[in-house]
Amino acid sequence: MKILRVISSMHPRNGGPCQGIRNATPYFDKAGITTEVVCMDDEATSYPLTDDFTIYKVGNGKTSYQYQPKLLKWLEEHIQKYDFVIVHGLWQYHNLAVYKAIKSAKKKKQYVPKIVIMPHGMLDPYFQKASERKWKALRNKLVWSLIEKKCISHADAIFYTCEEEMKLATTTFKNYNPKKVFNVGYGIQMPPENNVLFEEEFHKSCPTVKGKKYFLFLSRIHEKKGVDLLINSYNELSQKSLDFPDLVVAGPLESNYASEMVILASKNPKIHFSGMLSGKSKWGAFYNCQAYFLPSHQENFGIAIVEAMACKKPVLVTINVNIWREIHQGGGGWVVDLHRKDGFRNALLEILEQSDKDIMKKGLKAFETYQNKFDIDTCANKFIQTLENI
């Protein structure tokens, strides 16, 4: 079996879907399945890691829609080589390009592979209801009626990463009529075993936290992630308790929002910005933190959440994270309803009152949840079996 994954970018700074591809590919290899990727990164783009599978880069797209006609041409020339084409994400040109390439192949009476679309949370109603997204919501509504609806309807299957995502996707737009839908799950590889080099590499990126207890936020520094909520609550509570652990905010710092967050935290010496972490420094941050925080307003899966759980760390998330039920049922963290007044602040206070022993126990429960729900081997096998039954 040969699979082509189509995605807008494979640069690690884009998080989620491209990391999911990197997590799963070695397990597909073991099953004798070849994975290749085509994306709209510039041909000269280099990633801060080495991939052991083929990635075709056709060039950057234009506008936020990432229009790149070279992608359609590439697909028309190569799509017959694959048994399955998996489209990662919506709202950008790569989904339409696959639809057009398949339509062209059918017209020419050529072989057509099976098409699977993975929305990765992009059909979540949050994106249409959030007050700060009014214009983007109108754009999405137009793009849905003209493009995405027919792409969804003509695909052979839609794959969701968890039950909550699958349920929410049915509520966002009218005329949602996929042929088949599946919850295939999502998983990560077991992290590398902890060692002192990880901690040393992390402290090179964040030397000001060396020797201190800290909580960790590691993700994109974006409005959706609730970073302002985290910093404001931290500014208030850390002033009231000298024993409150420090906070490390790890993520790319190049955006305007990230700059605003640095300013917001500038008077608090207990908040540290490390920049983007990867490889050894990332694992050093996870293994040495007390707990992981992601107070997101919308999160489809949250690979970093599960990475923290796999490192035996408890996690603080919101009910807007689609795997919150699994976390709550497993007892490996704290779940906050942001609609409740002071809900997040009170959760931080609850964590502060727990002993190191209690936090370690929650971390072990988080690890058990990872093993039971999010282990990549189990999830990859389920994914492959689902493909074979489409």
Side-chain angles (χ1 to χ4, degrees):
M1 186 189 297
K2 193 172 185 179
I3 292 174
L4 175 68
R5 295 184 183 264
V6 186
I7 190 169
S8 60
S9 173
M10 279 297 288
H11 199 290
R13 65 169 170 255
N14 294 306
C18 60
Q19 184 59 47
I21 292 171
R22 290 185 167 99
N23 287 339
T25 297
Y27 292 83
F28 280 57
D29 289 344
K30 289 179 183 178
I33 298 172
T34 300
T35 300
E36 296 184 347
V37 177
V38 61
C39 66
M40 293 181 290
D41 288 327
D42 188 86
E43 293 179 12
T45 299
S46 59
Y47 308 133
L49 46 76
T50 301
D51 292 303
D52 56 1
F53 54 92
T54 300
I55 300 177
Y56 301 100
K57 305 169 187 174
V58 298
N60 292 332
K62 297 178 181 178
T63 76
S64 60
Y65 185 60
Q66 290 292 295
Y67 174 69
Q68 175 50 276
K70 290 181 181 178
L71 176 62
L72 176 57
K73 183 179 179 181
W74 189 96
L75 289 168
E76 288 177 336
E77 292 175 354
H78 297 90
I79 205 166
Q80 290 80 22
K81 300 176 184 177
Y82 302 94
D83 300 293
F84 292 91
V85 175
I86 302 173
V87 183
H88 292 267
L90 305 176
W91 312 120
Q92 292 183 324
Y93 178 69
H94 63 294
N95 198 12
L96 178 60
V98 170
Y99 171 82
K100 285 186 171 182
I102 293 298
K103 189 175 180 181
S104 175
K106 287 181 177 178
K107 189 175 181 179
K108 297 174 183 176
K109 296 184 179 180
Q110 296 175 333
Y111 162 78
V112 175
K114 297 282 187 179
I115 305 300
V116 174
I117 296 176
M118 294 191 71
H120 291 285
M122 295 182 188
L123 285 176
D124 194 298
Y126 162 83
F127 295 108
Q128 296 305 107
K129 295 179 179 179
S131 58
E132 70 275 12
R133 290 183 52 87
K134 288 182 179 179
W135 289 110
K136 289 182 179 179
L138 286 172
R139 178 203 63 186
N140 282 1
K141 190 173 182 180
L142 177 63
V143 174
W144 172 263
S145 63
L146 296 176
I147 299 172
E148 302 295 347
K149 179 176 68 175
K150 63 185 179 184
C151 294
I152 290 282
S153 298
H154 285 83
D156 293 285
I158 312 300
F159 281 8
Y160 294 105
T161 58
C162 59
E163 195 72 25
E164 186 76 0
E165 182 197 4
M166 189 164 67
K167 290 178 181 178
L168 289 172
T170 66
T171 68
T172 308
F173 295 103
K174 296 179 180 179
N175 301 316
Y176 169 78
N177 296 307
K179 294 176 183 176
K180 295 179 181 179
V181 296
F182 300 95
N183 169 21
V184 295
Y186 216 46
I188 68 162
Q189 299 166 345
M190 178 72 76
E193 187 176 347
N194 190 18
N195 68 65
V196 68
L197 291 176
F198 294 170
E199 185 176 10
E200 291 174 357
E201 287 298 314
F202 167 58
H203 286 146
K204 288 179 183 178
S205 299
C206 196
T208 53
V209 81
K210 188 173 183 179
K212 301 175 181 178
K213 290 182 179 180
Y214 65 91
F215 296 130
L216 177 66
F217 168 96
L218 189 152
S219 187
R220 288 185 301 129
I221 301 177
H222 187 277
E223 293 93 331
K224 190 186 78 164
K225 305 290 185 175
V227 188
D228 55 333
L229 172 65
L230 176 57
I231 290 176
N232 282 326
S233 298
Y234 217 87
N235 281 341
E236 177 189 351
L237 295 178
S238 61
Q239 293 175 9
K240 297 179 179 180
S241 173
L242 295 176
D243 294 329
F244 208 66
D246 286 22
L247 172 67
V248 172
V249 179
L253 296 170
E254 291 77 18
S255 68
N256 291 334
Y257 179 76
S259 297
E260 292 171 7
M261 294 303 99
V262 171
I263 294 170
L264 185 63
S266 61
K267 294 182 180 179
N268 191 339
K270 296 180 76 68
I271 301 178
H272 314 263
F273 289 83
S274 68
M276 181 179 172
L277 300 178
S278 61
K280 294 177 182 178
S281 60
K282 180 186 77 170
W283 295 120
F286 276 128
Y287 274 119
N288 292 283
C289 73
Q290 297 291 104
Y292 175 81
F293 295 166
L294 188 62
S296 188
H297 296 285
Q298 190 280 329
E299 201 73 34
N300 179 52
F301 182 83
I303 285 178
I305 298 170
V306 180
E307 286 178 332
M309 296 168 71
C311 292
K312 301 180 181 178
K313 302 299 176 180
V315 295
L316 170 62
V317 300
T318 71
I319 60 170
N320 304 307
V321 173
N322 285 346
I323 59 170
W324 72 267
R325 284 189 175 85
E326 290 87 342
I327 293 168
H328 176 69
Q329 291 167 1
W334 306 268
V335 179
V336 178
D337 184 348
L338 294 181
H339 293 105
R340 292 186 179 179
K341 186 178 179 180
D342 295 329
F344 183 71
R345 176 181 176 277
N346 292 337
L348 288 181
L349 286 172
E350 179 186 339
I351 295 170
L352 182 61
E353 293 172 356
Q354 298 205 353
S355 67
D356 289 348
K357 187 176 180 180
D358 290 335
I359 289 179
M360 286 182 65
K361 285 181 179 178
K362 271 194 174 294
L364 291 175
K365 289 183 178 179
F367 180 67
E368 290 175 3
T369 302
Y370 156 71
Q371 289 181 307
N372 294 331
K373 300 289 186 179
F374 307 123
D375 172 66
I376 187 63
D377 205 354
T378 301
C379 294
N381 286 335
K382 183 177 180 181
F383 194 108
I384 293 167
Q385 289 171 9
T386 307
L387 283 178
E388 291 172 344
N389 290 311
I390 293 176

